[in-house]
Amino acid sequence: MLSTSTATDVRTTNQEVTSIGPSEALARISELRKDQRVVVDFDETFFMRNSSQEFIRMVRPYVFGAIVYKVIELLRPWAWFAKGESRMLTRDWFHVWAVTIFFPWTWLVWRKHAPKMAEIWTNQPLAEVLRKRDPYTNVLCSQGFGPIIRPVLKHMGVNFGRVDACRMFRGYSDRRLNKVNRVRGMIGELDLQDCAVVTDSEEDRELLDYVEVPLLLKWPASPVLSVSSHYMPFYYMYKVKHKGFAPILRDILFVDLLLLFLAFSWISPLPLVHAVGMSFFFISFLLIYEIGYMENDEVAFELETDPVLGNNFEEKRDYISYVEPWFWATCFAFFGAGIFKAVDRLSELGIKAFSVISSMPTVREVFSEAFFTNSQYLLVGIWLVVLVSQRIVFRLYNYADKMTRTWINPFLQSYKSIIFMLISPINLIGAIALFSQVVSRSFGYFLYRWGRKTWPGSEVYLVRFILFPVILILISHATQSELSEVFTFQALVIALWISSRAIKPLFMVFRNIKHVSKDEWKKLEE
């Protein structure tokens, strides 16, 4: 493993540069005299990551942390106080302080994960060599920050006689300080000239040129393992499950969400406002549904012999979180519930879609009163119960065998549509549309698990195209409803939308029609 990287012996600037492997470099350390000091860098040398960057990445909520990070990158405050190369030396200091000010609990999270980070990212070959030496001769000198380094260092299993790291309050000046002077201040001039230095950084070249045994190493890449989640809403769905925005737009926004608009928001006195509230609830639903996607891939990766995983699953595992989505889902549900209650109140006052602008003072008053009310809290509570039940069903689905999943899938499909009836009224036409959607999606999944591989992939659109008008006609006849009550403008728009999605599949069906004598159908393999 270690032979894949190289080390450079740079005794002086006039000396010929000699490349050696890390194994030989470790042997050089082992051959040092017992009283000869070894000065070791921390970041990406003894600890196989940049400790400051890992601390910054551990901020929670990660979304807000990413926003603060981007703002600081745009402002570039380090450029205000320094010039030239010293600007970038203080960059992490500003980011660490931003985390400390805006997300102070990150320090507790960092200490919690310190043992795990030490276990995963300690440079074990180097640690083994240092453990055999007198701790007095081991010296750690780092450009990292002491409060970040020390919680990890105490779990790495190596004792150091001296440890020098940048201070938080004086990190700006410490990071610009010459490293030769820092080491000299710890061990003295004579020991400095006689010592060995182990580092990965070209910025330490002046120190390397000064000492007896300079070792500039680029260690092998450390394992890419998740210590903590870097969760961002819908990132996993975008990058792993659906592999881009186009499938999300095509299969979720233009199908699931649009159908909710047609079924629920259409009949609202304020359809556009209701659609906004429904969007908040739908986003809340997707945030928890995404947990099921994450869990599905993890279960397949850990338990299945031949797993079918999402794109770049192993690279994106640190974006998986089972806790943070609940925070975001609750926030979106809170706003959705407030809008729904405002719509109900405006409806009671007789304010319709075309009179919203003229009644704007009343609308503003109603919206201000709709939030932070008992009725809003009750609706949010009902919705959270729905989300919990959805999470339970998806978990049962993920841990069930393939045959059993076929029968659980219709319940998951119902959560995408029918379950919204618990928070918003619906009419018969909307209910038929949602039922058609659930049956067609379930039929498609059944074919995916048990059908022919040569079956067309657009069966969902065809089944929905057949079911909606058939059920609509049957129910209208059974209930002896007036034609005007069933065949409404809403029904027409839903039918046109369903038909538009079925045009291409219908064309394929008609194109593939053949005489029975030319039938190429083969029986399913048992």
Side-chain angles (χ1 to χ4, degrees):
M1 291 175 60
L2 294 175
S3 61
T4 59
S5 298
T6 59
T8 307
D9 188 345
V10 286
R11 175 65 188 91
T12 66
T13 54
N14 296 323
Q15 188 176 359
E16 181 181 356
V17 176
T18 305
S19 297
I20 60 176
S23 297
E24 187 175 347
L26 294 172
R28 292 275 301 275
I29 299 173
S30 301
E31 295 169 357
L32 296 174
R33 302 189 316 272
K34 292 183 178 180
D35 62 338
Q36 198 168 3
R37 304 277 191 137
V38 180
V39 179
V40 181
D41 188 24
F42 187 76
D43 288 346
E44 299 182 61
T45 296
F46 188 51
F47 182 70
M48 302 298 287
R49 281 288 189 273
N50 184 306
S51 59
S52 299
Q53 288 296 320
E54 289 303 317
F55 174 81
I56 295 166
R57 281 161 56 89
M58 206 161 282
V59 66
R60 298 293 176 273
Y62 189 72
V63 176
F64 293 149
I67 293 173
V68 172
Y69 186 91
K70 290 295 184 181
V71 170
I72 294 176
E73 285 291 302
L74 290 173
L75 295 177
R76 296 175 59 85
W78 50 85
W80 306 346
F81 303 99
K83 297 180 180 180
E85 295 181 359
S86 61
R87 289 180 175 182
M88 300 310 294
L89 292 176
T90 59
R91 176 184 177 186
D92 284 349
W93 182 70
F94 284 97
H95 282 299
V96 169
W97 263 111
V99 171
T100 302
I101 293 171
F102 294 106
F103 312 96
W105 52 87
T106 305
W107 289 101
L108 299 177
V109 178
W110 178 259
R111 288 180 175 274
K112 175 185 176 182
H113 290 292
K116 186 66 175 179
M117 289 185 289
E119 176 186 346
I120 295 176
W121 291 327
T122 296
N123 186 338
Q124 294 297 343
L126 179 58
E128 286 297 325
V129 173
L130 295 177
R131 289 188 190 108
K132 297 176 182 178
R133 297 183 54 81
D134 184 348
Y136 175 78
T137 64
N138 294 334
V139 178
L140 186 76
C141 185
S142 175
Q143 291 281 59
F145 301 97
I148 295 176
I149 289 174
R150 289 188 175 88
V152 181
L153 184 62
K154 72 178 183 179
H155 296 284
M156 300 178 78
V158 176
N159 294 321
F160 287 87
R162 297 290 183 89
V163 175
D164 181 71
C166 295
R167 295 161 290 185
M168 279 294 296
F169 285 98
R170 300 190 64 181
Y172 178 81
S173 58
D174 286 352
R175 281 215 155 190
R176 300 174 65 194
L177 188 64
N178 187 302
K179 208 168 185 179
V180 174
N181 294 330
R182 289 173 57 189
V183 177
R184 182 188 290 117
M186 284 194 294
I187 63 177
E189 178 66 27
L190 294 179
D191 283 348
L192 172 60
Q193 295 182 10
D194 186 50
C195 76
V197 169
V198 186
T199 182
D200 76 302
S201 178
E202 289 283 352
E203 296 173 358
D204 294 336
R205 183 168 290 275
E206 183 177 356
L207 177 62
L208 292 165
D209 291 343
Y210 204 87
V211 301
E212 180 66 25
V213 184
L215 295 170
L216 179 62
L217 306 187
K218 290 296 181 184
W219 297 92
S222 59
V224 181
L225 298 174
S226 176
V227 173
S228 63
S229 165
H230 302 138
Y231 170 79
M232 295 184 70
F234 304 125
Y235 183 84
Y236 190 86
M237 188 183 296
Y238 171 71
K239 282 291 187 180
V240 181
K241 207 65 182 179
H242 290 289
K243 306 175 185 178
F245 184 68
I248 295 175
L249 192 67
R250 181 186 66 242
D251 300 330
I252 296 178
L253 299 183
F254 285 173
V255 176
D256 295 322
L257 182 57
L258 183 57
L259 186 57
L260 293 178
F261 291 162
L262 295 175
F264 293 98
S265 301
W266 185 283
I267 63 173
S268 172
L270 298 165
L272 294 180
V273 180
H274 186 280
V276 174
M278 182 60 73
S279 299
F280 278 109
F281 274 112
F282 186 69
I283 292 172
S284 175
F285 165 82
L286 282 183
L287 286 162
I288 305 306
Y289 204 81
E290 187 183 34
I291 297 178
Y293 286 147
M294 300 174 186
E295 184 182 61
N296 184 269
D297 281 343
E298 287 209 310
V299 170
F301 180 77
E302 297 291 342
L303 301 179
E304 294 183 14
T305 55
D306 187 21
V308 179
L309 301 174
N311 187 41
N312 300 324
F313 165 72
E314 293 189 61
E315 298 178 11
K316 305 298 182 183
R317 288 188 76 180
D318 58 345
Y319 287 92
I320 292 177
S321 174
Y322 297 115
V323 178
E324 290 184 57
W326 289 98
F327 167 78
W328 295 106
T330 304
C331 291
F332 279 99
F334 178 82
F335 286 104
I339 294 174
F340 273 13
K341 291 305 174 183
V343 169
D344 292 343
R345 180 57 181 157
L346 290 172
S347 178
E348 294 173 1
L349 295 175
I351 298 177
K352 306 295 183 180
F354 296 105
S355 59
V356 168
I357 297 178
S358 60
S359 307
M360 190 57 66
T362 304
V363 171
R364 285 197 296 265
E365 181 181 351
V366 168
F367 267 89
S368 63
E369 294 176 354
F371 285 84
F372 303 103
T373 61
N374 291 336
S375 59
Q376 182 195 22
Y377 297 146
L378 178 60
L379 186 57
V380 172
I382 293 173
W383 183 246
L384 290 178
V385 171
V386 170
L387 295 182
V388 170
S389 64
Q390 178 250 101
R391 181 71 193 92
I392 293 173
V393 172
F394 213 143
R395 186 171 180 82
L396 291 174
Y397 171 89
N398 287 333
Y399 280 93
D401 61 275
K402 300 297 191 299
M403 180 180 292
T404 306
R405 287 184 180 183
T406 307
W407 308 113
I408 299 177
N409 182 264
F411 293 97
L412 285 179
Q413 298 303 329
S414 298
Y415 275 102
K416 288 184 177 180
S417 53
I418 295 177
I419 204 69
F420 285 82
M421 290 192 297
L422 294 177
I423 60 171
S424 182
I426 192 172
N427 61 9
L428 180 62
I429 296 170
I432 294 173
L434 297 183
F435 179 76
S436 302
Q437 174 76 352
V438 171
V439 174
S440 61
R441 283 270 180 87
S442 302
F443 180 73
Y445 184 79
F446 182 85
L447 288 178
Y448 163 71
R449 284 296 178 195
W450 302 103
R452 296 167 58 90
K453 293 183 179 179
T454 56
W455 193 278
S458 52
E459 64 282 339
V460 171
Y461 307 125
L462 289 176
V463 172
R464 190 172 56 201
F465 176 77
I466 296 170
L467 275 181
F468 179 71
V470 169
I471 297 176
L472 190 64
I473 294 171
L474 285 175
I475 291 182
S476 64
H477 179 73
T479 58
Q480 297 182 351
S481 303
E482 296 289 338
L483 291 179
S484 59
E485 296 177 2
V486 178
F487 297 97
T488 62
F489 188 54
Q490 179 193 18
L492 176 62
V493 172
I494 293 177
L496 290 175
W497 173 72
I498 291 176
S499 300
S500 68
R501 306 287 293 189
I503 290 176
K504 185 176 180 181
L506 281 172
F507 175 77
M508 293 174 59
V509 169
F510 285 111
R511 189 183 63 178
N512 292 326
I513 293 177
K514 300 175 182 176
H515 190 270
V516 67
S517 62
K518 299 180 180 180
D519 192 0
E520 299 177 353
W521 182 271
K522 295 180 181 179
K523 292 185 178 180
L524 297 175
E525 295 181 1
E526 296 183 358

